[in-house]
Amino acid sequence: MALSKELIARLRKDFCLDWHGDHGASHWARVKQNGLLLAQETNADFEVVELFAFVHDSCRVNEWEDPDHGPRAAEYVERLRFEKLFTLGDGQFRQLQRACSGHTHETTNADITIATCWDADRLDLPRVGITPDPRYMATDVGAKMAREK
Ligand SMILES: [Fe+2]
Ligand SMILES: [Fe+2]
């Protein structure tokens, strides 16, 4: 289990937006749910997907335009790891950082774990009135799920 109570408490303390807002905890929980569903078929790393779900938007400073929130999250997770709020191997940690830094402006990635993270996030776009476009999904399973939305 990658998500400890301590980690969630820390994320909540540091998060500067509305915990119940468009990019807050309920979005993170749905991204986790999407991600774990996807990962069963893509064979992505469950721990990385779960952590991505809860950290990828944690450094947003507004609900609209904030193109740097991905790279900020990639930096922020270094501190969380150093403080032992989660444990990942070095390879997994690099995947997590890459998934965070690229999730705002990249479409796909050859690494299936990173691609799965991005699709998990995109599948939750209906919350803000956007239908995910199957053509812009990073995995075949994600594209199939987007078609079914
Ligand atoms: Fe984001
Ligand atoms: Fe997100």
Side-chain angles (χ1 to χ4, degrees), residues 23 27 56-57 60 69 103-104 121:
H23 296 95
H27 167 55
H56 74 286
D57 280 340
R60 265 190 170 269
H69 74 275
H103 88 272
T104 50
D121 188 26

Side-chain angles (χ1 to χ4, degrees), residues 87-116:
T87 319
L88 284 185
D90 289 345
Q92 290 177 301
F93 185 64
R94 276 193 296 275
Q95 287 172 314
L96 176 65
Q97 284 193 298
R98 191 66 192 78
C100 286
S101 67
H103 88 272
T104 50
H105 55 281
E106 290 179 59
T107 312
T108 193
N109 194 286
D111 183 313
I112 193 64
T113 293
I114 296 168
T116 298

